[in-house]
Amino acid sequence: MTGIVRGAPVPFDAPVYVTRPLLPPLDAVTARLAEVWSTQQLTNIGAQHDRLEAALRAHLAVPNLSLFTNGTLALFTAIRALALSGEVVTTPFTFPATPHALSWSGITPVFCDIDPVSLNLDPAAVARAITPRTTGILAVHVYGTPCDVEALQQLATLHGLRLIYDAAHAFGARVDGRPIGTFGDATMFSFHATKLFHTAEGGALACGDAALKRTIDDLRNFGIHGPDAVDAIGLNGKMTELQAALGLCVLAQLEGELATRRRLLARYRERLGSLDGVTWLPGPTGADASCQYAVIRVDATRFGCSRDVLHRELQAYNVFTRKYFHPLCVDYACYRDLPSAARSNLPVASRAVQEVLCVPLYGGLSEGDVGRICDMILVIRERAAHDRVAGAGLASRGE
Ligand code: T4K
């Protein structure tokens, strides 16, 4: 059943999640796995790995790329390869992996506020957070929206800092045509199943410096430099042949997935683009966009109910949105006592985290599905307005 029956949207029969992985045809995956079986090489930088590394280097248009078993270990390795220590300035509006990669490396994350429009690190706030102990900036292209790369690079250069980008959400994004993985000293990508391009679990580091790539490659393999040499304290971050084989199959389907996501994003914007109380993040569009997430901001006063109420009410229709990245990292027990975690330091992030909502976006959805989700949002909004007049119900709930 579809659409609206007697003024009420009909819930989806099956749950609609914020995302679903791109699943290539099983035959294609089996054929690749047959190649792996024939070589009996399952990991330790085999043929599938090398093929995928080369294909992604070309796709992302980066000079050097190293594949990892997940994005978090790629981030750890970038931090070690660039010899960061002391304090690193970062954003509180991200997934836990970002600040954890610093803390796990014995570095103090120094959180600073974000830009009210892009929701990425505010360069002016970064400048204020730099101290003599600062060795780097770890910035996130959150939701795939590029950071102010120019301003951050200027700060890094001025203060002699390393600049690492967490581009977990920004696969394929560009800044005025320039590939996202070509900024800063190193850029991390995540290839988790929830990402546009994935290898079930996986990740990569891009960098401009060939010597840095060699260090990264050693560090992701226990620091082994040759048959008889271990030159550094490395970890095991290698991508397996099974992951790489899947990745090659996913990459072959990527254009189709992107085209669908672009259509779905356009449909969302067409239906909800001018809705009072709903703002769309102004990320890049067209070929420059990563199309990783569809993100709205809900202004409770103008919309009629809070983001949390909308999130909960959509569940009644079998639609499972996500409040990425709620709570802020500074609200985790492990960070809450840091001086930079003070709310007074983070007014913009504190507001944004109450308003953002990621709505479903993936190639398995149809434009009709997106239309239904928009109908549901509109009906929830109308009900909140009605309740407001009546002084009860959704709008008055303090969530
Ligand atoms: N930096 C940033 C900024 C990040 O966002 C992330 C990861 C990282 C670093 C670290 O990269 P990795 O080490 O993960 O490579 C998910 C992902 O696990 C995580 O990779 C991602 N960010 C984060 C934003 O989202 P959860 O806990 O929200 O995922 P989960 O399991 O609730 O999945 C969300 C929805 O996706 C499910 O409701 C259904 C669907 N799903 C999920 C999986 C795993 C599927 O349909 N199939 C699946 O296999 O963290």
Side-chain angles (χ1 to χ4, degrees):
M1 198 185 286
T2 58
I4 296 191
V5 174
R6 277 186 236 99
V10 180
F12 286 95
D13 291 335
V16 175
Y17 296 111
V18 68
T19 190
R20 291 306 241 170
L22 191 177
L23 293 177
L26 204 47
D27 287 356
V29 181
T30 311
R32 285 250 169 237
L33 289 181
E35 286 178 29
V36 176
W37 260 231
S38 72
T39 66
Q40 298 187 41
Q41 177 150 16
L42 301 183
T43 187
N44 285 7
I45 324 293
Q48 306 289 328
H49 170 282
D50 286 352
R51 217 173 290 164
L52 182 65
E53 199 168 272
L56 288 177
R57 194 170 54 238
H59 185 93
L60 294 168
V62 293
N64 301 291
L65 193 77
S66 303
L67 301 184
F68 280 79
T69 196
N70 61 56
T72 303
L73 288 181
L75 214 43
F76 279 31
T77 305
I79 289 165
R80 176 63 67 119
L82 290 164
L84 297 187
S85 63
E87 295 176 357
V88 169
V89 181
T90 194
T91 171
F93 190 70
T94 182
F95 194 65
T98 317
H100 284 0
L102 296 170
S103 300
W104 195 278
S105 310
I107 293 165
T108 305
V110 175
F111 295 104
C112 72
D113 212 359
I114 56 175
D115 177 84
V117 178
S118 70
L119 306 186
N120 288 323
L121 273 181
D122 173 1
V126 174
R128 289 193 296 274
I130 293 169
T131 73
R133 295 194 68 226
T134 310
T135 58
I137 300 168
L138 174 50
V140 180
H141 302 298
V142 80
Y143 306 131
T145 306
C147 293
D148 186 341
V149 286
E150 210 172 303
L152 290 177
Q153 187 58 62
Q154 272 172 16
L155 279 173
T157 306
L158 183 67
H159 296 275
L161 306 176
R162 295 299 201 170
L163 177 55
I164 301 178
Y165 284 108
D166 174 338
H169 311 155
F171 186 90
R174 287 172 179 260
V175 183
D176 297 328
R178 181 172 159 186
I180 199 79
T182 61
F183 296 96
D185 293 294
T187 296
M188 176 279 257
F189 294 96
S190 165
F191 304 151
H192 184 261
T194 53
K195 302 298 185 292
L196 168 79
F197 168 78
H198 74 90
T199 54
E201 290 273 1
L205 274 184
C207 65
D209 179 0
L212 180 60
K213 150 90 175 152
R214 283 193 292 278
T215 305
I216 288 168
D217 286 351
D218 287 354
L219 286 174
R220 81 173 165 186
N221 187 27
F222 310 100
I224 295 172
H225 187 65
D228 300 310
V230 176
D231 284 357
I233 302 171
L235 44 69
N236 182 0
K238 292 171 272 106
M239 178 180 279
T240 68
E241 288 292 274
L242 308 188
Q243 289 172 290
L246 175 60
L248 286 163
C249 299
V250 171
L251 195 58
Q253 306 289 318
L254 203 64
E255 268 318 306
E257 172 77 16
L258 265 171
T260 307
R261 287 186 183 214
R262 285 192 195 110
R263 275 203 307 278
L264 298 179
L265 279 167
R267 184 91 180 110
Y268 270 124
R269 282 173 183 265
E270 189 186 295
R271 290 291 312 278
L272 303 177
S274 53
L275 191 63
D276 195 29
V278 167
T279 315
W280 286 89
L281 290 200
T285 52
D288 279 2
S290 70
C291 299
Q292 173 61 53
Y293 292 111
V295 193
I296 55 173
R297 285 186 73 165
V298 180
D299 178 326
T301 312
R302 282 164 42 218
F303 185 75
C305 69
S306 68
R307 179 277 315 269
D308 286 349
V309 169
L310 177 61
H311 167 73
R312 198 196 54 226
E313 291 295 312
L314 282 168
Q315 289 181 20
Y317 294 112
N318 233 355
V319 174
F320 296 88
T321 58
R322 292 298 283 265
K323 299 185 245 176
Y324 293 134
F325 289 95
H326 183 275
L328 290 179
C329 298
V330 291
D331 288 333
Y332 310 160
C334 49
Y335 298 127
R336 117 175 15 128
D337 295 332
L338 289 173
S340 65
R343 283 301 176 141
S344 56
N345 185 41
L346 307 163
V348 179
S350 302
R351 174 164 182 191
V353 80
Q354 300 304 327
E355 296 185 344
V356 285
L357 193 65
C358 292
V359 293
L361 180 70
Y362 53 91
L365 287 177
S366 68
E367 287 183 57
D369 294 333
V370 166
R372 279 175 74 182
I373 295 167
C374 293
D375 287 339
M376 291 161 184
I377 293 173
L378 290 165
V379 163
I380 293 166
R381 186 175 186 274
E382 272 169 34
R383 216 158 55 217
H386 175 268
D387 289 350
R388 189 155 46 177
V389 172
L394 296 187
S396 63
R397 281 185 209 148
E399 274 181 79

